[in-house]
Amino acid sequence: MERKVGTVSRGIRCPIIREGDDLAQIVVDSVLEAAQSEGYAIRNRDVVAVTESVVARSQGNYASVDAIAKDVKAKLGGETVGVIFPILSRNRFAICLRGIARGSKKIVLMLSYPSDEVGNELVSLDKLDEAKVNPYSDVLTLEKYRALFGENRHPFTLVDYVDYYSGLIKEEGCDVEVIFANDPRVILNYTKNVINCDIHTRERTKRLLRSAGAERVFGLDNILNAPVDGSGCNEKYGLLGSNKSTENTVKLFPRECGDLVKTIQDKLLEKTGKLVEVMVYGDGAFKDPVGKIWELADPSVSVAHTPGLEGTPNELKLKYLADNDFASLSGDELKAAIEGAIRQKNANLAGSMASQGTTPRRLTDLIGSLCDLTSGSGDKGTPIIHIQGYFDNYTN
């Protein structure tokens, strides 16, 4: 009988992960137990994905506020530091900011507006239009911002992040001045020592600052990129991708994971005889159309993955074939014609009209987004995702 189900994404429950746990074995056991419990078989080209959070926990990759403060003071000098373009998030940035403040005497906090990099709004575009403010050129002081726009609470968290971040800095005994601007070079009117906190535009921001005369420029990826007094670290991403663990610690993005995904793949092959692709995933890459928040606060969707997940989809658009190439056919004839076109498609369909409308993104970004939506970020308790049928097409 013809298979009637395409892609299936399952959240897999597993034990609570602690530092030092054999994560590869836990993942393999959990996937096999779930398959046995639900009565399905492991197949070739299945995908097993593990959220970065439990990987970092198993690695014990944590750092304290004091470790952040010590690294900031050593790299920035401990005086006035410009902190620019942070995202508005208690989970993602608040503890990092506390550490930066603890390692400085004064912070000039420069916020992008009308929203941060991932879409959290400080003020709406409509309000900017009404106030005749140009976000590309106008620099606002805190007093000007409040006079024009008053208090603005996040629609989901109900936090006024301007007040919240200012309060965190003051709690650390650090002076604070808040400004609003979108040109990174504006901060150099206040200090030549800068931490740029943007994620995906960080290299451009560093380049602009250095060429404009900044003396010391460090991104969040340059803070805790090596251990401080035995702390965790991330050599590639530093504090980027970190999450709040406690009021005084952050969980960092996981360190090297290539061995982990290979070990899981090898163990599943040994147990099942099937070659399964494996990845460690972070935030998915998608945007909320209502809140306008872009999910991708991690520096990468895929922390690590097996080679079979490289590349982009190579797919034909079925409705294009049905409406154009085979417009005169229907029923079994149409089905046979489309199946034939799929079997004979080129190995690279880039530029083909028959592929227009298919998603032009990397497989790891697409699959990682599916994983993130499946696992969620709360209490589902499914940090492992098992995807089947992702690489199938209409002929399978």
Side-chain angles (χ1 to χ4, degrees), residues 20 25 70 99 116 120-121 141 149 153 161-162 188 197 264 278 296 308 339 366-367 372-373 379 385 395:
Q25 191 62 53
K70 186 171 182 177
D116 69 7
N120 295 293
E121 279 191 351
T141 63
F149 308 117
R153 293 183 177 272
Y161 279 95
V162 177
L188 301 181
C197 305
I264 294 172
V278 183
L296 190 54
E339 288 180 348
L366 292 164
I367 294 170
D372 192 28
L373 286 167
D379 58 7
I385 306 300
T395 68

Side-chain angles (χ1 to χ4, degrees), residues 316-355:
L316 294 169
K317 195 75 170 180
L318 294 192
K319 66 181 181 181
Y320 180 90
L321 295 176
D323 292 345
N324 291 273
D325 296 34
F326 309 123
S328 63
L329 303 180
S330 61
D332 289 343
E333 282 187 312
L334 176 59
K335 182 175 185 293
I338 288 179
E339 288 180 348
I342 293 172
R343 290 192 180 98
Q344 296 168 22
K345 68 184 178 182
N346 293 330
N348 184 357
L349 291 168
S352 167
M353 292 298 288
S355 68

Side-chain angles (χ1 to χ4, degrees), residues 222-244:
N222 306 124
I223 307 298
L224 282 189
N225 55 354
V228 173
D229 295 335
S231 74
C233 71
N234 188 294
E235 293 84 353
K236 185 175 182 180
Y237 295 123
L239 285 175
L240 286 180
S242 64
N243 296 86
K244 178 179 179 179

Side-chain angles (χ1 to χ4, degrees), residues 15 95 120 133 157-158 207 220 222 230 232 279 297 310 322 324 352 393 395:
I95 306 304
N120 295 293
V133 171
T157 66
L158 303 181
R207 173 174 56 79
L220 282 184
N222 306 124
M279 72 181 294
E310 291 288 344
N324 291 273
S352 167
N393 60 43
T395 68

Side-chain angles (χ1 to χ4, degrees), residues 379-393:
D379 58 7
K380 287 185 173 62
T382 55
I384 303 166
I385 306 300
H386 183 192
I387 299 171
Q388 295 191 295
Y390 190 86
F391 295 102
D392 290 354
N393 60 43

Side-chain angles (χ1 to χ4, degrees), residues 42-103:
I42 309 297
R43 302 178 192 148
N44 282 316
R45 297 226 74 189
D46 283 3
V47 179
V48 169
V50 187
T51 178
E52 58 83 19
S53 178
V54 298
V55 177
R57 289 174 67 185
S58 71
Q59 293 176 342
N61 202 20
Y62 294 85
S64 68
V65 170
D66 284 338
I68 297 171
K70 186 171 182 177
D71 205 26
V72 167
K73 188 172 183 178
K75 289 174 176 173
L76 277 298
E79 298 295 326
T80 299
V81 176
V83 176
I84 70 171
F85 302 158
I87 64 172
L88 307 177
S89 172
R90 294 168 296 176
N91 175 46
R92 289 289 188 171
F93 189 67
I95 306 304
C96 298
L97 181 59
R98 191 179 290 282
I100 295 168
R102 192 172 293 184

Side-chain angles (χ1 to χ4, degrees), residues 2 41 45 47 56 72 86 104 117 148 156 173 206 210 228 230 239 246 310 374:
E2 180 185 8
R45 297 226 74 189
V47 179
V72 167
S104 312
E117 181 181 3
L148 289 173
F156 297 142
K206 291 175 191 176
R210 287 170 180 146
V228 173
L239 285 175
T246 71
E310 291 288 344
T374 303

